[in-house]
Amino acid sequence: MKNLSVKLGLLFFLIIFTLELFLFFFLHSSLVESRVEEELFSLQSRGDAHKDTLRTSFEADTIQHVALMEREASTDVIVTNLKGSVLASSLSLDMKKIISSGMKLQNGVVENDWENQPYIVTVSSIPNQGYVFMFQNTNSIQTLIDRLNNHFFITGLITAFLTIVIIILLSIALVRPLNKMKEATIQIKSGDFSISLPDIGNDELGKLAKTINLLASELKHLKQERSQFLANISHELKTPLTYLKGYADIVQRKELPIEEREKYLSIIQEEAKRINTLVEDLFELAKIDQYGFKMKKQPIHLSDFLAHLHHKFEPAFHHQSMRLHVEMPKENIIVNIDSARVEQILYNLLDNSLKYSQTATETTLKIWTNTNDLYISIVDNGSGIQEKDLPHIFKRFYRGTYSNHSSNVGSGLGLSIVKELVNAHNGDITVKSNAKTGTTFTIMLKGAVLNEKDTFSR
Ligand code: ADP
């Protein structure tokens, strides 16, 4: 059975049908029982009324009169003396067995087996004189039961009809949108993201449809981003490679003066370095983008980490006649970070300060904490970032307007790598910049500072 609406419809049918069967037996038997009781009660009352009449006058006339009355009615009567001899009867049948068992009772039901006997019977005894037996034909009860059975049969038919209607409704309300969603996901799988499922409300199905729409638009966006990214990469690689090929061709010329050759060789070297940086950055981004990229956080002494960083970068700054200055709190701070990743973040930011600052300027690494959060600012007195560039600098391949002319021009990937790494550290990065004072990047690493009790002994 493949169709959900048929499955649900049949389930519905089974539930309703079982319910109906249960109700049928329960209602049927209780209705019939109460009807028989009612009949017996009215029979008994009628017999009692005759008994009252006969108690005052147990004469042949009165007895005949009672029998006559009952002949006219739907019930019947037999009046006997104390020994059980019939004195009067509105029935032509022989009821000896009934009479002899009724004589054991004072008052009450003599026969109630309406299913097998032609009559139900009650008896009312007239003290010291005789008995009044009342008879009710069971045909009327049988008719009632036939009617009831008919009703239940009709209800059964209505249930079956309702089941069909419900199967149709379910298939419209449930299966059709589900089928549409299935088709949409197949479409997505085949790479076509131009789907738009209709809004069908806010229930589970509606939410599922919305999620699929959202998924399709995200995938579309991702696909566009990926194509854009690939286009950027090929563009970025093509330019230096064209230069490389062009200059390599020139260098091959035998008649080229030695100084010229050296000039071109150094350009080739520069371009090769550029390609290398680009490939390294791309590799880095690919690693971060990978599903399951994990930080390897470890508690370390912040002062050790910064001393190591200073030691590593100071020569590069010195080489450009710049100064690298570190400002940090005096107390011993222990931080829980992935030191290699944070080093990578700071490497990119310090490298930018080097690239975009003039000689004889200073770059300061300022560190402070706020409860458990670690803050690191990289403040330079460089050329600053133009206001129109500021909102874009963290985008992949985005380069500031002027940096295209710099000999140290980068790949435009550095800050996007920084942002990804800061995010992976559950942190945040902000930037302030102006042409006069330079640029300040501030990183906040949430919960990176460890309390004394969490730390380790040196
Ligand atoms: P790039 O490889 O070009 O340096 P980044 O992603 O590191 O790429 O930086 C993006 C752009 O932001 C740079 O091209 C530059 O214009 C600007 N920028 C980044 N850091 C600084 C800085 N410290 N001073 C001035 N401009 C900066």
Side-chain angles (χ1 to χ4, degrees):
M1 225 185 294
K2 276 186 183 167
N3 200 327
L4 182 66
S5 62
V6 177
K7 271 190 213 167
L8 284 174
L10 283 180
L11 188 70
F12 169 82
F13 179 74
L14 265 178
I15 293 171
I16 296 288
F17 201 70
T18 332
L19 213 69
E20 205 194 315
L21 269 183
F22 173 74
L23 275 180
F24 177 82
F25 284 115
F26 180 72
L27 272 180
H28 196 274
S29 56
S30 73
L31 271 175
V32 171
E33 242 168 59
S34 65
R35 179 65 195 259
V36 172
E37 260 166 37
E38 247 172 53
E39 292 285 345
L40 285 169
F41 180 75
S42 78
L43 209 57
Q44 180 82 60
S45 316
R46 212 171 157 84
D48 286 351
H50 292 320
K51 174 191 84 178
D52 291 342
T53 317
L54 292 173
R55 194 161 49 184
T56 47
S57 137
F58 201 67
E59 306 292 327
D61 271 1
T62 327
I63 295 170
Q64 283 309 324
H65 179 72
V66 166
L68 198 71
M69 259 172 71
E70 286 305 326
R71 228 167 258 145
E72 305 293 315
S74 63
T75 48
D76 285 293
V77 69
I78 293 178
V79 183
T80 69
N81 61 15
L82 283 173
K83 286 185 185 135
S85 315
V86 176
L87 303 176
S89 165
S90 65
L91 274 171
S92 51
L93 299 168
D94 180 16
M95 288 288 167
K96 271 194 192 120
K97 216 176 117 206
I98 294 273
I99 290 166
S100 63
S101 64
M103 282 164 63
K104 291 175 199 134
L105 298 166
Q106 277 294 314
N107 280 312
V109 179
V110 184
E111 182 60 82
N112 64 358
D113 184 6
W114 58 271
E115 274 169 293
N116 303 310
Q117 301 301 330
Y119 293 96
I120 51 170
V121 186
T122 61
V123 67
S124 310
S125 97
I126 313 158
N128 305 321
Q129 285 171 321
Y131 298 93
V132 179
F133 288 91
M134 289 299 300
F135 293 79
Q136 162 78 56
N137 202 310
T138 47
N139 279 349
S140 69
I141 298 169
Q142 291 292 358
T143 322
L144 167 87
I145 286 155
D146 287 349
R147 246 197 348 249
L148 259 182
N149 288 352
N150 253 346
H151 285 170
F152 277 104
F153 178 69
I154 290 170
T155 322
L157 279 185
I158 293 174
T159 314
F161 172 73
L162 271 182
T163 309
I164 295 168
V165 173
I166 280 174
I167 290 179
I168 295 169
L169 287 181
L170 273 178
S171 90
I172 293 172
L174 197 78
V175 181
R176 222 182 263 176
L178 273 178
N179 273 339
K180 272 195 186 153
M181 286 182 221
K182 188 186 85 187
E183 278 159 25
T185 46
I186 291 173
Q187 211 176 322
I188 293 175
K189 191 177 152 231
S190 67
D192 177 2
F193 305 122
S194 62
I195 58 141
S196 148
L197 290 167
D199 191 350
I200 46 167
N202 257 335
D203 55 8
E204 284 80 357
L205 269 186
K207 280 182 190 153
L208 183 63
K210 280 185 192 124
T211 315
I212 293 176
N213 277 341
L214 203 73
L215 180 78
S217 75
E218 297 244 316
L219 282 173
K220 193 173 171 182
H221 178 69
L222 269 179
K223 196 180 173 189
Q224 281 167 350
E225 237 184 21
R226 195 184 60 180
S227 331
Q228 181 66 40
F229 189 56
L230 283 174
N232 281 339
I233 293 174
S234 43
H235 174 78
E236 291 294 323
L237 283 172
K238 215 171 144 200
T239 323
L241 283 174
T242 320
Y243 278 117
L244 277 184
K245 189 179 174 303
Y247 290 127
D249 286 347
I250 299 173
V251 169
Q252 268 184 339
R253 285 187 211 147
K254 290 208 173 64
E255 71 279 11
L256 197 72
I258 187 103
E259 319 83 66
E260 289 271 302
R261 177 162 306 175
E262 263 169 21
K263 189 178 105 191
Y264 290 125
L265 278 175
S266 92
I267 296 175
I268 289 175
Q269 213 170 21
E270 195 61 47
E271 291 303 311
K273 209 170 107 192
R274 212 166 108 93
I275 296 174
N276 196 36
T277 320
L278 176 68
V279 171
E280 269 174 14
D281 283 352
L282 282 173
F283 190 58
E284 216 33 70
L285 266 182
K287 264 201 290 189
I288 302 170
D289 274 352
Q290 233 173 42
Y291 178 72
F293 169 76
K294 277 206 178 80
M295 293 272 129
K296 287 185 199 122
K297 286 187 188 174
Q298 263 181 341
I300 52 162
H301 290 276
L302 189 63
S303 51
D304 291 354
F305 174 69
L306 290 171
H308 156 80
L309 213 68
H310 188 262
H311 183 71
K312 203 165 170 180
F313 278 95
E314 173 54 50
F317 276 80
H318 187 73
H319 183 71
Q320 230 172 280
S321 313
M322 284 171 63
R323 278 194 59 209
L324 175 62
H325 189 61
V326 179
E327 273 177 26
M328 65 171 292
K330 293 228 162 23
E331 73 264 27
N332 185 23
I333 298 172
I334 292 169
V335 287
N336 188 32
I337 53 171
D338 182 335
S339 54
R341 298 300 183 192
V342 176
E343 186 173 327
Q344 204 179 353
I345 294 171
L346 296 177
Y347 171 86
N348 276 302
L349 294 173
L350 290 172
D351 191 49
N352 278 355
S353 291
L354 271 174
K355 280 194 289 192
Y356 306 113
S357 297
Q358 296 75 26
T359 51
T361 56
E362 188 175 271
T363 295
T364 311
L365 212 58
K366 276 191 193 158
I367 286 97
W368 73 100
T369 61
N370 183 4
T371 58
N372 279 352
D373 304 335
L374 177 68
Y375 288 80
I376 307 172
S377 268
I378 296 92
V379 189
D380 68 34
N381 314 124
S383 48
I385 304 170
Q386 291 193 21
E387 216 173 307
K388 68 176 169 65
D389 290 330
L390 264 181
H392 309 290
I393 54 169
F394 292 105
K395 289 181 188 159
R396 291 178 182 188
F397 291 112
Y398 190 85
R399 279 184 293 225
T401 336
Y402 54 87
S403 49
N404 289 330
H405 309 293
S406 162
S407 61
N408 280 329
V409 70
S411 62
L413 291 174
L415 286 181
S416 50
I417 294 176
V418 166
K419 190 155 176 67
E420 300 264 2
L421 288 175
V422 170
N423 286 347
H425 257 95
N426 199 13
D428 195 23
I429 179 164
T430 51
V431 57
K432 274 189 195 144
S433 184
N434 78 55
K436 281 187 204 133
T437 49
T439 307
T440 302
F441 281 99
T442 303
I443 302 160
M444 185 275 293
L445 301 180
K446 201 156 183 53
V449 181
L450 288 184
N451 297 324
E452 277 303 315
K453 61 178 167 49
D454 304 323
T455 57
F456 53 92
S457 55
R458 228 196 251 230

